[in-house]
Amino acid sequence: MIDRIVRYISVFLALIIVLPLHEFAHAFVADKSGDYTPRMSGRYTLNPLAHFDVLGLIMFVVAGFGWAKPVPVNPTNFKRYKLDSFLVSAAGITANYITAFLFLPLFYLSQYVPEFGLFTTVLQSTLYYVVTLSLVFFVFNLIPIFPLDGYRIIDCFVKRRDRFYYNYRTYGIYVLYALILLSFIADFTGVYYLDILGIAIGYVVNLISVPITAFWGLIF
């Protein structure tokens, strides 16, 4: 029971760090690209309350999957439409990777913190989840399905927009829903090979974490 409570608290605290950084990165780059929509919408901030969706946050903590409020952007305000669209779309996942890079040494250092009961446990667990969730968000948001960042990045370079393109944009999300549903079924039934999405994300996370762990491994 205590372990579960510690996990819930740690995931919540980690999300307070990870989600606002992801969303603020979108807002920051959009603002610097000439679009002040995020600023006028109150999203040009690191305040978690500005970015959290209550239900999405609860789902993150309880079910391991959720969402934040997307940052409103008006690409017609960009100074360089295609380049700025790409930079804004890539800003969130870039922030995730940088967050993982910067917090991993903090997690390593936390192993040397004197034992203060639950405080030390929560601290170490929170830093662990900041790194892990940052990498998971990085990979998940790269999935090329609307409205994820991966789709928006690819969309910057698509010239031919035919029926297939619009059908893919409209119905691709249902494929993602199906994969998420399979993940829930896998957790509920214990048939873990059904968790196709989780297995794929875990594999890619392991790959992209190698440069980070290798770098900090030279020091710790």
Side-chain angles (χ1 to χ4, degrees), residues 3-185:
D3 290 343
R4 182 176 296 181
I5 293 175
V6 168
R7 178 183 176 277
Y8 287 158
I9 293 174
S10 300
V11 170
F12 175 77
L13 293 175
L15 289 171
I16 288 178
I17 298 171
V18 176
L19 284 180
L21 286 173
H22 177 99
E23 299 301 335
F24 174 72
H26 286 305
F28 178 83
V29 176
D31 189 84
K32 299 309 176 186
S33 298
D35 178 29
Y36 304 123
T37 305
R39 186 185 292 272
M40 293 186 293
S41 302
R43 304 298 300 281
Y44 192 81
T45 177
L46 285 170
N47 181 357
L49 296 178
H51 302 292
F52 281 159
D53 177 277
V54 176
L55 179 59
L57 179 61
I58 293 173
M59 289 293 291
F60 263 128
V61 175
V62 176
F65 170 79
W67 55 89
K69 292 188 292 186
V71 172
V73 172
N74 185 356
T76 59
N77 293 325
F78 292 158
K79 302 170 185 175
R80 302 154 299 179
Y81 182 82
K82 282 200 171 183
L83 176 60
D84 291 337
S85 294
F86 169 78
L87 293 175
V88 172
S89 299
I93 55 176
T94 302
N96 287 145
Y97 200 77
I98 293 173
T99 301
F101 179 83
L102 295 178
F103 272 81
L104 183 61
L106 297 180
F107 171 69
Y108 288 155
L109 289 172
S110 72
Q111 309 304 306
Y112 300 100
V113 172
E115 185 62 44
F116 290 112
L118 283 179
F119 171 80
T120 303
T121 303
V122 170
L123 173 64
Q124 294 173 348
S125 183
T126 298
L127 292 172
Y128 167 80
Y129 280 115
V130 168
V131 175
T132 302
L133 289 175
S134 293
L135 293 176
V136 168
F137 289 173
F138 176 90
V139 177
F140 180 80
N141 278 287
L142 272 178
I143 297 175
I145 292 178
F146 180 83
L148 300 179
D149 296 334
Y151 174 88
R152 298 184 188 279
I153 290 172
I154 292 176
D155 189 55
C156 296
F157 303 100
V158 173
K159 294 182 179 179
R160 182 181 177 184
R161 304 196 172 188
D162 52 15
R163 178 179 294 181
F164 172 80
Y165 167 85
Y166 290 107
N167 285 339
Y168 175 72
R169 175 188 170 97
T170 302
Y171 299 109
I173 188 65
Y174 295 108
V175 175
L176 183 60
Y177 288 156
L179 292 172
I180 292 170
L181 178 60
L182 281 175
S183 296
F184 283 127
I185 293 174

Side-chain angles (χ1 to χ4, degrees), residues 97 101 104 108 208-220:
Y97 200 77
F101 179 83
L104 183 61
Y108 288 155
I208 65 172
S209 66
V210 170
I212 298 176
T213 54
F215 177 85
W216 291 114
L218 298 173
I219 301 174
F220 292 92

